[in-house]
Amino acid sequence: MLHFKYTPLISFDVAHSYYKDKHAADAAYTLLPSTIAVMESYGLKAKQSNGTLKLYLKRDENNQPFVPLDTVIDLYFGIQIKTDLLNITSSFGKGRYWFSNLKEDGTYQQQLTLTAANELPEIARQQKMFNFPAGTVASLTLKRPAAVPGGWINVSTTTVDALSGAAKVTVQEPGLYLFEKKLTGGGTDTGKIILSDEMVQQANNWSILHLQLKPGDDNLVFSLTLGARKSKWQYYLVEPTDRGGSTVDASKLTISYSAAASSRYPANVAITKKLPPYLPAEKNYIDGLKADGKIKEVYLFESQTDMEILDGEQPVVKLNKDMGGEVGHIAIPDRSMKNTTIIYKL
């Protein structure tokens, strides 16, 4: 009877400073069908748990791979963030993104930490029709990242029809490509494109993860670190015109902040009133609050330092009278919010 075991080949997770342990357990991964087929052919198995994706290599009783990894293989995964973590992450908009263990010049990246890539280039099917203004482009060359250090390698060159400006290219292997346009007037233009029938259908994924493996790779640990978004906390105190019965002078209210020593937040942060003239965006926001005619005044307070949102024990923010005495607690921004603006109705 043959005995076999699975040993770790790749571990991948997402890190963010929001979490005390820096580990984002709310990441999930999808395997593209072509990746599943490649993994099956090399005796690889994938498991994900608590935000970590792990790939295992099947080995025999002598610790030898059942199927030797004797060539370079490319694996593609979709990454989904199942919570609102991206609200408090810097540099990410509504687009999709591309992460890879290959450098931008196409060489193999030996370091084991992935860094955030730019927003995804265009994604198209593996048969792609390019259309340029007639007579502007002579030919189109496609290149792929090299499997070993050396930069991008040529895949194909297609002549562009001089009359229509059209060029049709077809690739067998899905993935990231560099395209170079040889201009009829001299010189070249470059760009990037992902050619993959499967990725066109992966619209629900926040990003695409590309991991290239070469012979000899074993027990690699990759981590994608998402930077925290830092911004000033703003409080708009809204005083209605019909605010009767209160003896508190709204114009003299102050806001205080405190955090326990056991909290990950700074111990002390000044939150002070801003006076006109406001920034254009702030003025427009205040004017919008007053637009219905039922608001007497709006007072804007702002933290004097940029803050990031953290998990664990939260700080306490209070609204106080000018001569002392607490009016009430105010909420603080959290990761469910698109910005760090709080509106408090007096």
Side-chain angles (χ1 to χ4, degrees), residues 35-85:
T35 290
I36 295 174
V38 171
M39 290 178 57
E40 289 177 346
S41 66
Y42 283 94
L44 303 179
K45 179 182 291 186
K47 287 187 177 181
Q48 58 176 303
S49 176
N50 197 36
T52 298
L53 171 69
K54 292 186 176 181
L55 302 186
Y56 297 88
L57 176 64
K58 187 177 182 180
R59 295 179 180 272
D60 63 22
E61 56 192 357
N62 298 315
N63 205 37
Q64 296 301 309
F66 262 63
V67 181
L69 184 60
D70 56 4
T71 187
V72 173
I73 61 174
D74 294 281
L75 304 176
Y76 301 94
F77 308 88
I79 303 179
Q80 300 175 354
I81 303 296
K82 300 187 292 183
T83 65
D84 41 28
L85 180 64

Side-chain angles (χ1 to χ4, degrees), residues 255-332:
I255 293 180
S256 63
Y257 164 103
S258 63
S262 53
S263 173
R264 299 173 61 211
Y265 279 91
N268 297 292
V269 173
I271 301 178
T272 60
K273 183 186 292 184
K274 293 190 70 173
L275 299 176
Y278 299 116
L279 296 174
E282 295 167 348
K283 183 180 184 304
N284 290 339
Y285 195 77
I286 291 174
D287 290 344
L289 292 172
K290 292 181 175 181
D292 64 1
K294 298 179 181 180
I295 303 302
K296 178 181 178 181
E297 192 54 79
V298 177
Y299 305 96
L300 172 58
F301 289 75
E302 184 177 76
S303 66
Q304 295 303 292
T305 58
D306 288 341
M307 306 279 287
E308 67 177 287
I309 295 175
L310 304 167
D311 72 346
E313 190 173 357
Q314 301 294 292
V316 175
V317 175
K318 297 180 181 179
L319 189 62
N320 306 297
K321 301 176 185 178
D322 62 319
M323 299 301 291
E326 177 186 322
V327 176
H329 285 215
I330 306 180
I332 68 168

Side-chain angles (χ1 to χ4, degrees), residues 76-78 96-99 120 199 205-210:
Y76 301 94
F77 308 88
R96 291 196 290 166
Y97 295 81
W98 171 268
F99 305 102
L120 278 177
M199 290 185 197
N205 287 317
W206 165 65
S207 61
I208 298 296
L209 170 65
H210 166 234

Side-chain angles (χ1 to χ4, degrees), residues 75-280:
L75 304 176
Y76 301 94
F77 308 88
I79 303 179
Q80 300 175 354
I81 303 296
K82 300 187 292 183
T83 65
D84 41 28
L85 180 64
L86 296 180
N87 284 353
I88 56 174
T89 299
S90 63
S91 303
F92 291 103
K94 296 181 179 180
R96 291 196 290 166
Y97 295 81
W98 171 268
F99 305 102
S100 176
N101 61 342
L102 296 183
K103 296 180 182 179
E104 272 296 295
D105 65 359
T107 59
Y108 193 84
Q109 186 164 266
Q110 297 294 336
Q111 62 266 33
L112 301 186
T113 300
L114 297 179
T115 54
N118 293 327
E119 193 165 341
L120 278 177
E122 179 188 355
I123 304 178
R125 297 191 179 276
Q126 284 166 241
Q127 186 176 83
K128 164 72 173 174
M129 178 66 75
F130 289 85
N131 292 283
F132 307 110
T136 62
V137 179
S139 63
L140 181 70
T141 298
L142 286 185
K143 298 182 177 182
R144 289 204 71 192
V148 295
W152 300 82
I153 55 175
N154 285 357
V155 174
S156 65
T157 297
T158 304
T159 300
V160 177
D161 185 272
L163 296 178
S164 67
K168 183 170 71 175
V169 298
T170 302
V171 298
Q172 298 302 316
E173 295 295 328
L176 179 67
Y177 286 83
L178 179 77
F179 61 86
E180 291 183 348
K181 298 181 291 184
K182 184 178 180 182
L183 306 179
T184 54
T188 59
D189 281 344
T190 62
K192 293 188 178 72
I193 188 170
I194 296 170
L195 298 173
S196 170
D197 295 340
E198 293 174 321
M199 290 185 197
V200 169
Q201 303 168 9
Q202 296 290 313
N204 59 329
N205 287 317
W206 165 65
S207 61
I208 298 296
L209 170 65
H210 166 234
L211 294 176
Q212 186 174 95
L213 295 178
K214 58 181 177 57
D217 284 343
D218 187 37
N219 203 14
L220 303 179
V221 178
F222 295 90
S223 182
L224 169 63
T225 300
L226 300 181
R229 177 167 61 87
K230 297 183 179 181
S231 59
K232 289 181 169 59
W233 292 3
Q234 288 192 319
Y235 289 87
Y236 289 82
L237 305 187
V238 179
E239 182 182 17
T241 54
D242 60 353
R243 182 174 165 258
S246 175
T247 59
V248 175
D249 187 346
S251 66
K252 295 182 179 180
L253 291 172
T254 60
I255 293 180
S256 63
Y257 164 103
S258 63
S262 53
S263 173
R264 299 173 61 211
Y265 279 91
N268 297 292
V269 173
I271 301 178
T272 60
K273 183 186 292 184
K274 293 190 70 173
L275 299 176
Y278 299 116
L279 296 174

Side-chain angles (χ1 to χ4, degrees), residues 84 87-88 309 314 332-339 342:
D84 41 28
N87 284 353
I88 56 174
I309 295 175
Q314 301 294 292
I332 68 168
D334 61 48
R335 72 179 195 174
S336 69
M337 302 167 60
K338 298 294 185 181
N339 54 45
I342 299 286

